[in-house]
Amino acid sequence: MAQISWLADVLRAAGVAVVEEGDWLNRGATSGGGAFEPIGVLWHHTAGPTTSPENPHPSLDICINGRSDLSGPLCQALVDYNGVFHVISANRANHAGVCGGSGPIPEGDGNTMLVGWEIDYNGVDQEMSPAQYDASIAATAAVIAQLGTDATYVRGHRETSTTGKIDPYAIDLDAMRADVAAALGGGA
């Protein structure tokens, strides 16, 4: 199994605030799959409680430990309301499920192919905060550069899901990819 032990350092080098959550280097999903060999980044929203500056990451525990129907970790990093990246796993996480293919991302096990960001907002009547968006763009560009791919390898879960996921809510994914490409210096 490959590991992205470089994740926290790459995010910090991109100017992103990082909190390393516990033993993130050794935390990973043990069920359901093959080797973790990421080629891209997948954006999600948590669909949890409403976030705010005073309650920036109410879904952190679930993202680390999972829920009754899905074991954790549920992403490689959670992005809190203030734009802080909580690094959860350097290994495979249960965030993407079956990928139907999108752009250059082929069909298959999304958990093995994609680094997952859970952006902590409810996705019903709340959009991601400007700090979450800006940090997610910077972090995504840095990870894509580290992986040696480009902005076309950045997807929203609704683009890859085979089960009708809607996340991330209220984001123009083409504009998001254009912003990632701009952060990469135009290399879309």
Side-chain angles (χ1 to χ4, degrees):
M1 174 191 288
Q3 184 184 64
I4 56 172
S5 56
W6 44 259
L7 182 58
D9 291 337
V10 164
L11 297 180
R12 284 190 187 99
V16 175
V18 172
V19 173
E20 296 177 40
E21 294 293 342
D23 191 15
W24 71 276
L25 287 168
N26 293 308
R27 185 182 294 125
T30 57
S31 62
F36 180 51
E37 297 178 9
I39 58 172
V41 174
L42 190 63
W43 285 24
H44 305 267
H45 68 250
T46 57
T50 300
T51 55
S52 68
E54 299 77 28
N55 187 28
H57 50 76
S59 300
L60 181 61
D61 184 64
I62 289 172
C63 287
I64 293 171
N65 298 306
R67 39 182 217 256
S68 63
D69 63 330
L70 188 61
S71 63
L74 302 184
C75 56
Q76 276 71 38
L78 174 119
V79 188
D80 79 18
Y81 184 89
N82 299 315
V84 175
F85 265 69
H86 296 261
V87 179
I88 291 170
S89 178
N91 302 293
R92 185 182 178 282
N94 288 323
H95 68 95
V98 175
C99 175
S102 178
I105 308 296
E107 293 179 2
D109 182 353
N111 297 325
T112 66
M113 295 186 286
L114 299 163
V115 175
W117 303 155
E118 282 287 353
I119 304 167
D120 209 345
Y121 68 104
N122 74 27
V124 175
D125 58 1
Q126 181 184 29
E127 299 178 17
M128 72 175 70
S129 71
Q132 286 174 315
Y133 186 81
D134 292 346
S136 294
I137 293 294
T140 300
V143 168
I144 287 297
Q146 180 73 24
L147 294 174
T149 57
D150 62 41
T152 63
Y153 286 80
V154 181
R155 298 282 141 183
H157 197 194
R158 68 178 181 252
E159 295 176 305
T160 64
S161 172
T162 61
T163 60
K165 299 292 186 177
I166 63 164
D167 55 318
Y169 169 77
I171 294 297
D172 179 330
L173 295 171
D174 289 329
M176 175 264 294
R177 277 186 285 278
D179 289 344
V180 170
L184 286 166

